[in-house]
Amino acid sequence: MDTERARELLRRERGRIEEELRRLVPEGDPDVGDQVDAGDELFERELDEGLTEALRERLAAIERAERRLDEGKYGLSVKSGQPIPDERLQADPAAELTVEEQLEEERGARS
């Protein structure tokens, strides 16, 4: 993949993730009403915390991809060094593995 195209894809993905993180981070403690509202608020906070963690992990993956780009290793699997097809990088600019390797990792995680 062309370096400038890769930088643009990563820049856009970073912007999207950072915007989502800004949206999820609470700006203050809202007033808690009755117990139902408190339960709903707790559920929402836990959900937001999970989403925030996933977004932070995604941001870390983008940062790793940017480093690989700077090092001239972008588009190569971090596991095997095999090229990652442009179509995969287009869909997921932070991809670190080929599709086959990713599926293998996921199967291993489920076992």
Side-chain angles (χ1 to χ4, degrees):
M1 172 175 290
D2 174 76
T3 301
E4 288 309 310
R5 177 69 180 144
R7 281 193 201 289
E8 177 61 21
L9 289 171
L10 289 167
R11 184 191 64 76
R12 278 192 218 156
E13 183 68 358
R14 175 184 280 283
R16 185 183 73 77
I17 298 300
E18 288 174 345
E19 179 60 32
E20 283 293 314
L21 281 169
R22 279 191 291 276
R23 187 183 65 75
L24 287 171
V25 173
E27 294 180 20
D29 290 329
D31 292 334
V32 177
D34 59 44
Q35 289 291 65
V36 173
D37 288 343
D40 288 346
E41 182 180 325
L42 178 61
F43 175 78
E44 287 296 321
R45 278 189 182 172
E46 288 176 353
L47 181 62
D48 286 351
E49 287 172 8
L51 291 172
T52 299
E53 180 62 28
L55 289 169
R56 286 188 174 132
E57 288 173 11
R58 179 69 179 163
L59 192 56
I62 292 166
E63 290 168 356
R64 290 190 303 272
E66 291 168 335
R67 277 195 304 276
R68 287 193 308 278
L69 188 60
D70 291 340
E71 296 168 355
K73 297 178 183 177
Y74 183 78
L76 300 175
S77 166
V78 298
K79 183 176 182 179
S80 67
Q82 294 295 313
I84 299 171
D86 285 354
E87 296 80 21
R88 176 157 168 74
L89 294 170
Q90 196 67 30
D92 179 4
E96 297 179 314
L97 303 170
T98 65
V99 171
E100 296 80 13
E101 292 168 340
Q102 185 69 46
L103 290 172
E104 189 177 296
E105 293 264 327
E106 291 171 4
R107 277 191 295 265
R110 284 183 275 183
S111 298

